[in-house]
Amino acid sequence: MPLTMNREVFITCAVTGSGSTQDRSPHVPRSPEQIAHSAIEAAKAGAAIVHCHVRDPETGSPRRDVELYREVTERIREADIDVVLNLTAGMGGDLVLGGTETPLPAVEGTDMAGATERMAHIRACLPEICTLDCGTMNFAEADYVMTNTPGMLRAMGGMMTELGVKPEIEAFDTGHLWFAKQLVAEGVLKPDALVQLCMGVPWGAPDDLNTFMAMVNNVPSDWNWSAFSLGRNQMAYVAAATIAGGNVRVGLEDNLWLGKGQLATNAQLVERAVTIVEALGARVIGPDEVRERLNLVKQAPAAA
């Protein structure tokens, strides 16, 4: 793929995630009100898309309760600024094994659910985008596996297509892109796919530029894509993705810091990304232009 800079860039803000960051920064939102407020502030700062998980309002631990998602999405939809809603559908595939000698039965932290249950909040809230983590992989923890089997992905991807919600393919390695192409070839996903290249997540694709360009070169030329990296390389990847022809993602799901010793808010991370994109000579586009580019369908949520 030739290296062609993207001159019209959309920014996604990943607002809170499901990692154990809630006690590492006071800016990581926990309650639906806090998550929605942080998403709205990110939209005002220039994010065209907000990607949302939900957490236990008291402990900050990850949850997938439909009512928590309903409250978040209702608050964002009622805000005085427009933004594209992107909800995670990655929860419900958490497998924590019992150790190297006694892996089974699975232990505390395991949360395995069927495709219909994993999609319950998507069906209820009908966001314009939801994520599809396109593979099973080891994460940093010793005995944790993120499980997304081919059968599960076919089932969930088919549900997304049937609901009119655009899947954002989360690709943590080149094999995930390979399988995403297979889903399109089978008709499970529509041809105008959207990909998020997830760089530097242990133990997926490392975030060196050679690996990044290998990922970029495996994205079909008629797909839209975005990219991010974790921690200190988050802003470097704003530049790298733009220069390589893609779009960008920032936010507290992936990085807590604005600079050394300075904890960030989501709005501050978006503002920094806007500055970088514009300094490169590109334009940051808004939600209406994103909807047109990605062929998104804005729907009313299902009745409670």
Side-chain angles (χ1 to χ4, degrees):
M1 178 185 293
L3 186 64
T4 304
M5 179 173 158
N6 184 9
R7 299 286 176 177
E8 296 188 328
V9 176
F10 64 76
I11 296 173
T12 297
C13 181
V15 176
T16 190
S18 60
S20 56
T21 57
Q22 68 271 18
D23 296 322
R24 292 167 54 200
S25 170
H27 304 305
V28 174
R30 299 185 180 200
S31 71
E33 182 179 9
Q34 291 169 346
I35 293 167
H37 175 75
S38 195
I40 292 163
E41 292 302 301
K44 290 178 179 178
I49 302 173
V50 289
H51 169 61
C52 299
H53 292 240
V54 294
R55 294 176 178 266
D56 184 294
E58 299 300 324
T59 67
S61 61
R63 297 286 289 270
R64 52 184 176 84
D65 306 52
V66 172
E67 290 311 309
L68 293 175
Y69 278 106
R70 276 193 184 275
E71 184 177 349
V72 168
T73 55
E74 285 172 3
R75 287 178 178 275
I76 293 172
R77 282 172 163 141
E78 291 169 358
D80 58 356
I81 188 166
D82 186 26
V83 70
V84 174
L85 274 170
N86 175 342
L87 299 184
T88 184
M91 306 296 290
D94 300 314
L95 177 62
V96 184
L97 300 174
T100 56
E101 299 299 333
T102 55
L104 294 177
V107 299
E108 184 180 357
T110 294
D111 178 27
M112 299 290 288
T116 299
E117 184 178 345
R118 289 179 70 171
M119 286 289 294
H121 63 294
I122 305 299
R123 187 171 289 103
C125 299
L126 292 177
E128 290 158 278
I129 302 172
C130 70
T131 59
L132 185 66
D133 296 338
C134 232
T136 294
M137 66 174 285
N138 298 324
F139 264 64
E141 294 86 349
D143 298 305
Y144 169 71
V145 182
M146 178 183 77
T147 60
N148 293 288
T149 65
M152 180 67 76
L153 292 170
R154 286 186 174 97
M156 292 177 65
M159 292 176 189
M160 293 171 190
T161 299
E162 183 179 353
L163 289 169
V165 176
K166 191 173 196 72
E168 181 188 68
I169 296 160
E170 303 283 287
F172 296 82
D173 220 330
T174 51
H176 299 177
L177 290 170
W178 186 7
F179 187 65
K181 294 176 202 176
Q182 181 64 25
L183 292 178
V184 170
E186 293 175 5
V188 175
L189 304 184
K190 292 183 178 180
D192 60 334
L194 170 65
V195 178
Q196 185 72 251
L197 302 179
C198 310
M199 307 301 298
V201 179
W203 300 107
D207 63 1
D208 63 273
L209 291 178
N210 284 334
T211 303
F212 175 54
M213 288 311 301
M215 296 280 279
V216 170
N217 288 331
N218 273 282
V219 178
S221 59
D222 56 345
W223 291 14
N224 285 283
W225 65 273
S226 177
F228 71 89
S229 184
L230 301 185
R232 65 180 182 177
N233 286 335
Q234 183 173 84
M235 292 304 161
Y237 263 76
V238 171
T242 301
I243 292 168
N247 302 282
V248 304
R249 167 172 142 173
V250 295
L252 295 176
E253 176 171 351
D254 308 318
N255 167 48
L256 300 177
W257 302 93
L258 190 65
K260 187 174 182 179
Q262 184 181 3
L263 290 167
T265 66
N266 278 308
Q268 288 172 327
L269 293 172
V270 173
E271 288 167 356
R272 179 69 57 84
V274 169
T275 298
I276 293 169
V277 169
E278 292 180 342
L280 291 170
R283 182 174 70 90
V284 175
I285 66 173
D288 283 338
E289 289 175 281
V290 169
R291 291 185 181 102
E292 183 176 357
R293 179 184 296 182
L294 301 183
N295 297 315
L296 300 180
V297 179
K298 195 171 184 179
Q299 304 181 78

